[in-house]
C-alpha cells in the first residue's frame, strides 16, 4: 500500500473513533446528531426510576433530549435484553420500549 493511502485510511479510522467516542451519530438526514448523557443528580434520579420500573438490571446508557422524551435510560436486564425507559422533566415515565419494539407507552 502506498504511504498516502495508508495515511488516508489511518485518518479515517481516527476520525471514526473520535466520533464514536463522543456519542455523535448520523440522523436520518445525514447530519450529525450529538447524544448527551445524563449526569449528576439527574442521572441518579433517572436511573433509580428506570431500575424501579424494570425491577432488575443495570443502566448501560443514558441520553438527554431523546426524540421521544427529555430523558432516556437504557437498562440491560439479567437475560441480556434491553429496555429503554423514557422520562419527562419530572422523572415520570412516559414510555417503555424493549429490544427495539414499540412497547408499552404509559
Amino acid at each position: 500500500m502506498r504511504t498516502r493511502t495508508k495515511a488516508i485510511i489511518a485518518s479515517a479510522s481516527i476520525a471514526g473513533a473520535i466520533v464514536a467516542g463522543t456519542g455523535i451519530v448520523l440522523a436520518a438526514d445525514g447530519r450529525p446528531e450529538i447524544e448527551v448523557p445524563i449526569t449528576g443528580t439527574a442521572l441518579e434520579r433517572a436511573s433509580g426510576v428506570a431500575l424501579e420500573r424494570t425491577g432488575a438490571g443495570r443502566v448501560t446508557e443514558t441520553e438527554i433530549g431523546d426524540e421521544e422524551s427529555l430523558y432516556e435510560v437504557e437498562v440491560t436486564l439479567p437475560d441480556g435484553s434491553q429496555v429503554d425507559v423514557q422520562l419527562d422533566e419530572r422523572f415520570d415515565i412516559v414510555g417503555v420500549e424493549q429490544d427495539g419494539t414499540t412497547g408499552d407507552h404509559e
Side-chain angles (χ1 to χ4, degrees), residues 24-91:
I24 297 174
V25 296
L26 292 180
D29 61 5
R31 293 184 310 187
E33 180 180 296
I34 299 173
E35 294 181 1
V36 179
I38 307 169
T39 60
T41 57
L43 174 61
E44 291 174 21
R45 288 186 66 190
S47 296
V49 170
L51 290 171
E52 183 177 318
R53 172 62 170 85
T54 60
R58 62 186 171 86
V59 173
T60 50
E61 191 174 322
T62 65
E63 182 181 349
I64 297 174
D66 179 66
E67 64 274 356
E68 298 167 12
S69 61
L70 180 57
Y71 300 111
E72 178 181 87
V73 179
E74 178 185 275
V75 177
T76 300
L77 300 175
D79 67 2
S81 64
Q82 294 178 331
V83 177
D84 291 335
V85 180
Q86 309 292 331
L87 306 168
D88 67 13
E89 65 278 353
R90 295 182 320 251
F91 299 93

